[in-house]
Amino acid sequence: MKIIAFNGSPRKEWNTSTLLKKALEGAASQGAKTELIHLYDLKYQGCISCFACKEKNGKSYGKCVVRDDLKPIFKQIETADAIIFGSPIYLGSITGEMQSFLERLVFPYLTYTDLPQTLFPKKIPVGFIYTMGLTEELMVEFGYQQRFAGTDRFLSRIFGLSQSLLCFDTYQFKDYSKVVAPRFNPEEKLKRRQEVFPKDCQKAFDMGAEFARENKS
Ligand SMILES: Cc1cc2nc3c(=O)[nH]c(=O)nc-3n(C[C@H](O)[C@H](O)[C@H](O)COP(=O)(O)O)c2cc1C
């Protein structure tokens, strides 16, 4: 059993990657092999709209033909038993790298039929971990959930079950005294980091463990 996680943050040791590592620890606790892939280590672009993946009787139907660092990754994904994506929120959305990755991953599998169908060869659980600086209240006010729901809808259409984990009010800077950010209260941020973030880590662990258990049963 193999579970792969994709980190859509440029930071390899911060909020998003920590939660993804916890999710993979949870999966490993149930006997899964795991791998964490950092998208910012790869060279690729978003979909270039060539439509080779939609060509009638084409040998690349359902496949992305662009040759870059994502090509071997897409092969790996077809052998995975679950996938967990993670992204910080940048300007109200997932990062550009994660968006480009999803365009390339999802679009070839999505059929342009009246009832859109998936060409992905099997059903696997997928999870999405979103981390953001905003509090939950402000996230609701800014309507982020509609965007998350859109991503979840595409992912569940392609892969099967999709679930998401939202992590709010994250600790963003190594040292708050060295940045100009008067809207944040460093003590409150630290308190939340110490009290709430471990609970988010536990939820991520549980997600990974659940995915691995689903595969075992
Ligand atoms: C370029 C940039 C834009 C950001 N925009 C938002 C935003 O629109 N909403 C939000 O809630 N947080 C925003 N943040 C904060 C990050 O989403 C948050 O700190 C996140 O947890 C960082 O993830 P990381 O620690 O894994 O890198 C932004 C951060 C950066 C660097």
Tab-separated table of all heavy atoms in Angstrom, residues 37-80:
chain	number	residue	atom	x	y	z
A	37	ILE	N	6.329	14.541	-1.561
A	37	ILE	CA	6.940	15.210	-2.716
A	37	ILE	C	6.707	16.715	-2.596
A	37	ILE	O	5.562	17.164	-2.406
A	37	ILE	CB	6.357	14.656	-4.035
A	37	ILE	CG1	6.756	13.172	-4.171
A	37	ILE	CG2	6.854	15.462	-5.241
A	37	ILE	CD1	6.124	12.438	-5.331
A	38	HIS	N	7.791	17.470	-2.680
A	38	HIS	CA	7.694	18.928	-2.590
A	38	HIS	C	7.554	19.499	-3.995
A	38	HIS	O	8.494	19.403	-4.799
A	38	HIS	CB	8.950	19.504	-1.918
A	38	HIS	CG	9.154	19.022	-0.516
A	38	HIS	ND1	8.411	19.499	0.546
A	38	HIS	CD2	9.987	18.083	0.000
A	38	HIS	CE1	8.801	18.898	1.662
A	38	HIS	NE2	9.745	18.023	1.361
A	39	LEU	N	6.416	20.092	-4.289
A	39	LEU	CA	6.181	20.592	-5.650
A	39	LEU	C	7.209	21.649	-6.062
A	39	LEU	O	7.568	21.747	-7.230
A	39	LEU	CB	4.762	21.163	-5.775
A	39	LEU	CG	3.622	20.153	-5.648
A	39	LEU	CD1	2.277	20.857	-5.807
A	39	LEU	CD2	3.732	19.041	-6.690
A	40	TYR	N	7.679	22.424	-5.082
A	40	TYR	CA	8.622	23.500	-5.440
A	40	TYR	C	10.001	22.960	-5.840
A	40	TYR	O	10.845	23.721	-6.312
A	40	TYR	CB	8.751	24.520	-4.296
A	40	TYR	CG	7.619	25.537	-4.272
A	40	TYR	CD1	6.348	25.181	-3.814
A	40	TYR	CD2	7.793	26.845	-4.726
A	40	TYR	CE1	5.306	26.103	-3.796
A	40	TYR	CE2	6.759	27.767	-4.705
A	40	TYR	CZ	5.517	27.390	-4.242
A	40	TYR	OH	4.489	28.307	-4.225
A	41	ASP	N	10.235	21.654	-5.654
A	41	ASP	CA	11.495	21.053	-6.133
A	41	ASP	C	11.403	20.681	-7.612
A	41	ASP	O	12.408	20.324	-8.223
A	41	ASP	CB	11.795	19.744	-5.364
A	41	ASP	CG	12.342	20.019	-3.983
A	41	ASP	OD1	12.740	21.168	-3.721
A	41	ASP	OD2	12.374	19.072	-3.167
A	42	LEU	N	10.195	20.696	-8.163
A	42	LEU	CA	9.989	20.204	-9.528
A	42	LEU	C	9.876	21.365	-10.508
A	42	LEU	O	9.440	22.463	-10.146
A	42	LEU	CB	8.701	19.366	-9.589
A	42	LEU	CG	8.581	18.220	-8.577
A	42	LEU	CD1	7.201	17.570	-8.678
A	42	LEU	CD2	9.656	17.179	-8.827
A	43	LYS	N	10.250	21.077	-11.760
A	43	LYS	CA	10.120	22.097	-12.821
A	43	LYS	C	8.943	21.714	-13.711
A	43	LYS	O	8.957	20.657	-14.355
A	43	LYS	CB	11.392	22.134	-13.682
A	43	LYS	CG	12.640	22.553	-12.945
A	43	LYS	CD	13.052	23.976	-13.352
A	43	LYS	CE	14.219	24.507	-12.549
A	43	LYS	NZ	14.071	24.501	-11.094
A	44	TYR	N	7.932	22.555	-13.747
A	44	TYR	CA	6.764	22.268	-14.582
A	44	TYR	C	5.936	23.541	-14.738
A	44	TYR	O	6.125	24.513	-14.030
A	44	TYR	CB	5.910	21.145	-13.976
A	44	TYR	CG	5.331	21.468	-12.610
A	44	TYR	CD1	4.066	22.053	-12.480
A	44	TYR	CD2	6.051	21.208	-11.449
A	44	TYR	CE1	3.540	22.358	-11.233
A	44	TYR	CE2	5.532	21.512	-10.198
A	44	TYR	CZ	4.282	22.090	-10.098
A	44	TYR	OH	3.772	22.404	-8.862
A	45	GLN	N	4.985	23.452	-15.679
A	45	GLN	CA	4.044	24.559	-15.879
A	45	GLN	C	2.638	24.021	-15.691
A	45	GLN	O	2.426	22.809	-15.717
A	45	GLN	CB	4.129	25.053	-17.316
A	45	GLN	CG	5.405	25.743	-17.688
A	45	GLN	CD	5.353	26.209	-19.133
A	45	GLN	OE1	5.012	25.435	-20.014
A	45	GLN	NE2	5.671	27.468	-19.360
A	46	GLY	N	1.665	24.931	-15.677
A	46	GLY	CA	0.274	24.504	-15.679
A	46	GLY	C	-0.115	23.982	-17.059
A	46	GLY	O	0.715	23.926	-17.976
A	47	CYS	N	-1.368	23.602	-17.218
A	47	CYS	CA	-1.879	23.088	-18.491
A	47	CYS	C	-1.627	24.110	-19.598
A	47	CYS	O	-1.848	25.310	-19.413
A	47	CYS	CB	-3.376	22.822	-18.344
A	47	CYS	SG	-4.166	22.345	-19.885
A	48	ILE	N	-1.157	23.622	-20.769
A	48	ILE	CA	-0.885	24.542	-21.887
A	48	ILE	C	-1.997	24.472	-22.928
A	48	ILE	O	-1.871	24.971	-24.040
A	48	ILE	CB	0.495	24.276	-22.532
A	48	ILE	CG1	0.596	22.805	-22.980
A	48	ILE	CG2	1.621	24.650	-21.583
A	48	ILE	CD1	1.759	22.536	-23.915
A	49	SER	N	-3.087	23.780	-22.601
A	49	SER	CA	-4.264	23.772	-23.453
A	49	SER	C	-3.992	23.167	-24.838
A	49	SER	O	-4.551	23.615	-25.825
A	49	SER	CB	-4.776	25.219	-23.591
A	49	SER	OG	-6.164	25.232	-23.732
A	50	CYS	N	-3.157	22.122	-24.899
A	50	CYS	CA	-2.849	21.503	-26.197
A	50	CYS	C	-3.948	20.516	-26.602
A	50	CYS	O	-4.082	20.163	-27.760
A	50	CYS	CB	-1.501	20.785	-26.150
A	50	CYS	SG	-1.480	19.286	-25.133
A	51	PHE	N	-4.727	20.032	-25.626
A	51	PHE	CA	-5.842	19.098	-25.816
A	51	PHE	C	-5.445	17.738	-26.374
A	51	PHE	O	-6.301	17.006	-26.866
A	51	PHE	CB	-6.969	19.716	-26.659
A	51	PHE	CG	-7.538	20.953	-26.006
A	51	PHE	CD1	-7.483	22.175	-26.630
A	51	PHE	CD2	-8.090	20.882	-24.737
A	51	PHE	CE1	-7.971	23.317	-26.017
A	51	PHE	CE2	-8.582	22.013	-24.105
A	51	PHE	CZ	-8.526	23.239	-24.748
A	52	ALA	N	-4.151	17.387	-26.297
A	52	ALA	CA	-3.740	16.032	-26.703
A	52	ALA	C	-4.470	14.998	-25.837
A	52	ALA	O	-4.776	13.900	-26.300
A	52	ALA	CB	-2.234	15.876	-26.554
A	53	CYS	N	-4.789	15.361	-24.611
A	53	CYS	CA	-5.474	14.420	-23.702
A	53	CYS	C	-6.941	14.228	-24.068
A	53	CYS	O	-7.627	13.380	-23.489
A	53	CYS	CB	-5.343	14.891	-22.253
A	53	CYS	SG	-6.150	16.466	-21.903
A	54	LYS	N	-7.438	15.043	-25.014
A	54	LYS	CA	-8.861	14.936	-25.391
A	54	LYS	C	-9.029	14.446	-26.845
A	54	LYS	O	-10.142	14.372	-27.345
A	54	LYS	CB	-9.548	16.321	-25.276
A	54	LYS	CG	-9.464	16.944	-23.892
A	54	LYS	CD	-10.519	16.379	-22.956
A	54	LYS	CE	-10.394	16.931	-21.558
A	54	LYS	NZ	-9.625	16.112	-20.629
A	55	GLU	N	-7.914	14.119	-27.525
A	55	GLU	CA	-7.963	13.757	-28.949
A	55	GLU	C	-8.711	12.451	-29.211
A	55	GLU	O	-8.413	11.428	-28.576
A	55	GLU	CB	-6.534	13.602	-29.471
A	55	GLU	CG	-6.253	14.409	-30.707
A	55	GLU	CD	-4.759	14.439	-30.984
A	55	GLU	OE1	-4.210	13.376	-31.291
A	55	GLU	OE2	-4.168	15.527	-30.831
A	56	LYS	N	-9.639	12.526	-30.165
A	56	LYS	CA	-10.437	11.342	-30.536
A	56	LYS	C	-9.518	10.234	-31.050
A	56	LYS	O	-8.683	10.485	-31.917
A	56	LYS	CB	-11.422	11.747	-31.641
A	56	LYS	CG	-12.751	11.037	-31.569
A	56	LYS	CD	-13.674	11.535	-32.652
A	56	LYS	CE	-14.543	12.679	-32.164
A	56	LYS	NZ	-15.451	13.189	-33.190
A	57	ASN	N	-9.655	9.041	-30.525
A	57	ASN	CA	-8.810	7.888	-30.893
A	57	ASN	C	-7.304	8.154	-30.733
A	57	ASN	O	-6.490	7.440	-31.308
A	57	ASN	CB	-9.068	7.439	-32.349
A	57	ASN	CG	-10.531	7.114	-32.583
A	57	ASN	OD1	-11.181	6.544	-31.707
A	57	ASN	ND2	-11.068	7.510	-33.732
A	58	GLY	N	-6.989	9.201	-30.026
A	58	GLY	CA	-5.566	9.540	-29.859
A	58	GLY	C	-4.915	8.621	-28.833
A	58	GLY	O	-5.558	8.208	-27.878
A	59	LYS	N	-3.596	8.345	-29.053
A	59	LYS	CA	-2.960	7.428	-28.096
A	59	LYS	C	-2.661	8.124	-26.766
A	59	LYS	O	-2.344	7.472	-25.782
A	59	LYS	CB	-1.724	6.757	-28.696
A	59	LYS	CG	-0.554	7.647	-29.046
A	59	LYS	CD	0.572	6.732	-29.554
A	59	LYS	CE	1.895	7.365	-29.759
A	59	LYS	NZ	2.074	8.573	-30.432
A	60	SER	N	-2.811	9.434	-26.756
A	60	SER	CA	-2.594	10.147	-25.497
A	60	SER	C	-3.917	10.540	-24.824
A	60	SER	O	-3.913	11.321	-23.869
A	60	SER	CB	-1.752	11.393	-25.758
A	60	SER	OG	-2.408	12.219	-26.695
A	61	TYR	N	-5.039	9.981	-25.336
A	61	TYR	CA	-6.336	10.309	-24.721
A	61	TYR	C	-6.290	9.992	-23.210
A	61	TYR	O	-5.889	8.903	-22.801
A	61	TYR	CB	-7.465	9.508	-25.394
A	61	TYR	CG	-8.841	9.877	-24.849
A	61	TYR	CD1	-9.366	11.154	-25.063
A	61	TYR	CD2	-9.588	8.972	-24.096
A	61	TYR	CE1	-10.598	11.510	-24.547
A	61	TYR	CE2	-10.827	9.321	-23.579
A	61	TYR	CZ	-11.324	10.596	-23.809
A	61	TYR	OH	-12.536	10.959	-23.287
A	62	GLY	N	-6.676	10.966	-22.405
A	62	GLY	CA	-6.666	10.757	-20.953
A	62	GLY	C	-5.299	10.909	-20.308
A	62	GLY	O	-5.145	10.667	-19.113
A	63	LYS	N	-4.308	11.289	-21.123
A	63	LYS	CA	-2.944	11.429	-20.556
A	63	LYS	C	-2.367	12.802	-20.898
A	63	LYS	O	-2.615	13.336	-21.982
A	63	LYS	CB	-1.989	10.389	-21.171
A	63	LYS	CG	-2.428	8.953	-21.031
A	63	LYS	CD	-1.413	8.180	-20.203
A	63	LYS	CE	-1.812	6.739	-19.999
A	63	LYS	NZ	-2.945	6.529	-19.114
A	64	CYS	N	-1.557	13.322	-20.003
A	64	CYS	CA	-0.885	14.596	-20.286
A	64	CYS	C	0.402	14.284	-21.060
A	64	CYS	O	1.204	13.449	-20.625
A	64	CYS	CB	-0.551	15.315	-18.977
A	64	CYS	SG	0.234	16.907	-19.263
A	65	VAL	N	0.591	14.954	-22.204
A	65	VAL	CA	1.763	14.639	-23.045
A	65	VAL	C	2.960	15.552	-22.765
A	65	VAL	O	4.032	15.341	-23.317
A	65	VAL	CB	1.433	14.726	-24.563
A	65	VAL	CG1	0.423	13.676	-24.951
A	65	VAL	CG2	0.973	16.129	-24.949
A	66	VAL	N	2.742	16.548	-21.961
A	66	VAL	CA	3.847	17.493	-21.708
A	66	VAL	C	4.990	16.768	-20.985
A	66	VAL	O	4.761	16.049	-20.009
A	66	VAL	CB	3.351	18.688	-20.862
A	66	VAL	CG1	4.506	19.620	-20.512
A	66	VAL	CG2	2.260	19.447	-21.611
A	67	ARG	N	6.179	16.940	-21.525
A	67	ARG	CA	7.343	16.250	-20.936
A	67	ARG	C	8.086	17.189	-19.996
A	67	ARG	O	8.835	18.056	-20.448
A	67	ARG	CB	8.300	15.788	-22.035
A	67	ARG	CG	7.752	14.654	-22.836
A	67	ARG	CD	8.719	14.189	-23.901
A	67	ARG	NE	8.097	13.097	-24.624
A	67	ARG	CZ	8.098	11.846	-24.204
A	67	ARG	NH1	8.711	11.527	-23.089
A	67	ARG	NH2	7.474	10.904	-24.899
A	68	ASP	N	7.830	17.029	-18.732
A	68	ASP	CA	8.597	17.778	-17.734
A	68	ASP	C	8.607	16.945	-16.454
A	68	ASP	O	8.288	15.751	-16.494
A	68	ASP	CB	8.030	19.203	-17.533
A	68	ASP	CG	6.577	19.202	-17.058
A	68	ASP	OD1	6.085	18.149	-16.605
A	68	ASP	OD2	5.930	20.265	-17.144
A	69	ASP	N	8.951	17.567	-15.335
A	69	ASP	CA	9.131	16.783	-14.100
A	69	ASP	C	7.844	16.118	-13.611
A	69	ASP	O	7.886	15.252	-12.733
A	69	ASP	CB	9.678	17.689	-12.982
A	69	ASP	CG	11.143	18.035	-13.188
A	69	ASP	OD1	11.725	17.565	-14.182
A	69	ASP	OD2	11.700	18.780	-12.359
A	70	LEU	N	6.688	16.525	-14.137
A	70	LEU	CA	5.440	15.899	-13.663
A	70	LEU	C	5.173	14.555	-14.341
A	70	LEU	O	4.382	13.758	-13.838
A	70	LEU	CB	4.240	16.829	-13.889
A	70	LEU	CG	4.185	18.065	-13.003
A	70	LEU	CD1	2.881	18.820	-13.219
A	70	LEU	CD2	4.328	17.708	-11.519
A	71	LYS	N	5.815	14.308	-15.476
A	71	LYS	CA	5.521	13.076	-16.215
A	71	LYS	C	5.692	11.824	-15.325
A	71	LYS	O	4.757	11.035	-15.192
A	71	LYS	CB	6.371	13.002	-17.487
A	71	LYS	CG	5.851	11.997	-18.462
A	71	LYS	CD	6.017	12.439	-19.901
A	71	LYS	CE	5.391	11.451	-20.836
A	71	LYS	NZ	3.970	11.640	-21.037
A	72	PRO	N	6.885	11.638	-14.712
A	72	PRO	CA	7.031	10.455	-13.847
A	72	PRO	C	6.118	10.489	-12.622
A	72	PRO	O	5.705	9.443	-12.108
A	72	PRO	CB	8.503	10.478	-13.426
A	72	PRO	CG	8.985	11.863	-13.709
A	72	PRO	CD	8.141	12.404	-14.822
A	73	ILE	N	5.772	11.677	-12.176
A	73	ILE	CA	4.898	11.805	-10.998
A	73	ILE	C	3.502	11.259	-11.332
A	73	ILE	O	2.880	10.562	-10.534
A	73	ILE	CB	4.786	13.296	-10.567
A	73	ILE	CG1	6.155	13.882	-10.241
A	73	ILE	CG2	3.784	13.476	-9.433
A	73	ILE	CD1	6.718	13.511	-8.910
A	74	PHE	N	3.006	11.561	-12.545
A	74	PHE	CA	1.675	11.086	-12.926
A	74	PHE	C	1.643	9.554	-12.980
A	74	PHE	O	0.653	8.930	-12.621
A	74	PHE	CB	1.241	11.683	-14.272
A	74	PHE	CG	1.040	13.178	-14.226
A	74	PHE	CD1	1.268	13.974	-15.339
A	74	PHE	CD2	0.621	13.791	-13.058
A	74	PHE	CE1	1.089	15.349	-15.286
A	74	PHE	CE2	0.438	15.167	-12.991
A	74	PHE	CZ	0.681	15.943	-14.111
A	75	LYS	N	2.754	8.962	-13.426
A	75	LYS	CA	2.855	7.485	-13.454
A	75	LYS	C	2.746	6.940	-12.031
A	75	LYS	O	2.027	5.981	-11.765
A	75	LYS	CB	4.212	7.058	-14.034
A	75	LYS	CG	4.233	6.913	-15.529
A	75	LYS	CD	5.147	5.721	-15.907
A	75	LYS	CE	4.946	5.350	-17.353
A	75	LYS	NZ	5.898	6.015	-18.232
A	76	GLN	N	3.482	7.590	-11.129
A	76	GLN	CA	3.499	7.170	-9.723
A	76	GLN	C	2.095	7.256	-9.128
A	76	GLN	O	1.675	6.387	-8.367
A	76	GLN	CB	4.395	8.128	-8.938
A	76	GLN	CG	5.637	7.524	-8.364
A	76	GLN	CD	6.405	8.592	-7.620
A	76	GLN	OE1	6.840	9.582	-8.218
A	76	GLN	NE2	6.588	8.417	-6.334
A	77	ILE	N	1.378	8.323	-9.481
A	77	ILE	CA	0.049	8.540	-8.909
A	77	ILE	C	-0.899	7.405	-9.318
A	77	ILE	O	-1.751	6.990	-8.531
A	77	ILE	CB	-0.495	9.929	-9.333
A	77	ILE	CG1	0.247	10.998	-8.537
A	77	ILE	CG2	-2.000	10.036	-9.129
A	77	ILE	CD1	-0.122	12.418	-8.861
A	78	GLU	N	-0.716	6.873	-10.510
A	78	GLU	CA	-1.620	5.790	-10.947
A	78	GLU	C	-1.398	4.519	-10.130
A	78	GLU	O	-2.248	3.637	-10.117
A	78	GLU	CB	-1.463	5.536	-12.454
A	78	GLU	CG	-1.957	6.729	-13.264
A	78	GLU	CD	-2.519	6.392	-14.633
A	78	GLU	OE1	-2.341	5.264	-15.104
A	78	GLU	OE2	-3.146	7.300	-15.243
A	79	THR	N	-0.262	4.431	-9.437
A	79	THR	CA	-0.022	3.238	-8.607
A	79	THR	C	-0.306	3.525	-7.126
A	79	THR	O	-0.164	2.644	-6.289
A	79	THR	CB	1.441	2.748	-8.734
A	79	THR	OG1	2.298	3.750	-8.171
A	79	THR	CG2	1.833	2.489	-10.174
A	80	ALA	N	-0.674	4.763	-6.805
A	80	ALA	CA	-0.894	5.121	-5.385
A	80	ALA	C	-2.247	4.597	-4.896
A	80	ALA	O	-3.184	4.435	-5.674
A	80	ALA	CB	-0.838	6.635	-5.221
